[in-house]
Amino acid sequence: MEDQRWLVVGLGNPGPDYAGNRHNAGFMVLDELAARAGGRFKVHRSRAEIVEGRLAGAPAVLAKPLSFMNLSGGPVKALADFYKVTPAHVVVVHDELDIPYGALRAKLGGGDNGHNGLKSITKSLATRDYLRIRFGIGRPPGRMDAAAFVLKDFATVERKDLPFLVDRAADMVESLVRAGLEATQNAFHAADLNPVKPPR
């Protein structure tokens, strides 16, 4: 239904120290969507910053949880309850280690692949069946720990393409709302950048 409200959540850690981290790719995409909607984030009692507006013609709430990543589920559940949004109309934008940098993927449900933000949301919503936009960041170089890798800023070679990827991920969110999952996958999955190899 066109008038069904959507909840679009970007995952990240709050505060300027984390702003450029790979783990904050979701926040970057939500900032782009908010700019397109002409809205400014304001603090909501759910412990998230939100923008209310329209996305691809449909009513939507754009949200950045103010909890840290591994507690994202609380604010997401609070917002879903407050705005009466079903899990099928929740879109979570997050960084993804198992996809190379330069690749973006849309999916419904599935596991969390060790992503603490997804783990928290799945537990709070009591279902895995929400939509995801997976923003590929690739695996860490050498023996670097994955937890350290996601909390580092994008490398110089990656930052060159970052605005394009953020823009494209925002396009994918709008496509999900407007055209659905299958059409979005068909339109976007074949158009990856050449994956950027992380510096060794």
Side-chain angles (χ1 to χ4, degrees):
M1 282 183 2
E2 193 178 40
D3 60 352
Q4 170 69 55
R5 192 188 303 272
W6 290 79
L7 172 60
V8 182
V9 180
L11 295 188
N13 286 309
D17 290 349
Y18 300 96
N21 290 181
R22 293 182 177 92
H23 225 16
N24 275 42
F27 275 15
M28 297 174 193
V29 176
L30 266 286
D31 286 340
E32 169 61 24
L33 288 168
R36 294 182 184 189
R40 293 174 65 102
F41 281 100
K42 61 184 180 184
V43 177
H44 187 266
R45 68 187 191 196
S46 61
R47 288 181 301 125
E49 290 185 330
I50 68 162
V51 170
E52 293 182 66
R54 297 189 77 80
L55 196 63
V61 178
L62 310 176
K64 298 192 295 185
L66 290 171
S67 60
F68 280 88
M69 179 70 82
N70 60 356
L71 299 174
S72 300
V76 173
K77 172 77 164 109
L79 285 167
D81 288 349
F82 184 84
Y83 288 102
K84 299 180 172 57
V85 178
T86 63
H89 281 79
V90 173
V91 182
V92 177
V93 186
H94 65 91
D95 58 300
E96 177 60 70
L97 284 161
D98 288 338
I99 298 175
Y101 186 75
L104 301 164
R105 293 285 181 269
K107 69 179 290 193
L108 171 66
D112 55 54
N113 287 355
H115 194 294
N116 288 330
L118 294 179
K119 195 176 298 183
S120 177
I121 291 169
T122 295
K123 182 177 180 182
S124 293
L125 293 180
T127 181
R128 295 176 174 179
D129 292 333
Y130 51 90
L131 292 155
R132 298 106 183 264
I133 297 291
R134 307 162 77 201
F135 192 109
I137 60 171
R139 303 297 306 184
R143 296 185 178 182
M144 184 186 290
D145 181 59
F149 178 70
V150 299
L151 292 176
K152 288 190 177 298
D153 287 359
F154 284 99
T156 303
V157 67
E158 295 170 327
R159 284 200 291 271
K160 176 171 62 75
D161 292 314
L162 189 57
F164 168 79
L165 292 169
V166 167
D167 194 60
R168 191 162 181 79
D171 289 345
M172 289 179 76
V173 173
E174 292 187 331
S175 176
L176 274 180
V177 170
R178 182 177 55 251
L181 178 61
E182 186 176 355
T184 300
Q185 291 172 329
N186 291 340
F188 288 89
H189 283 193
D192 294 339
L193 284 175
N194 293 323
V196 178
K197 289 185 171 56
R200 296 287 169 181

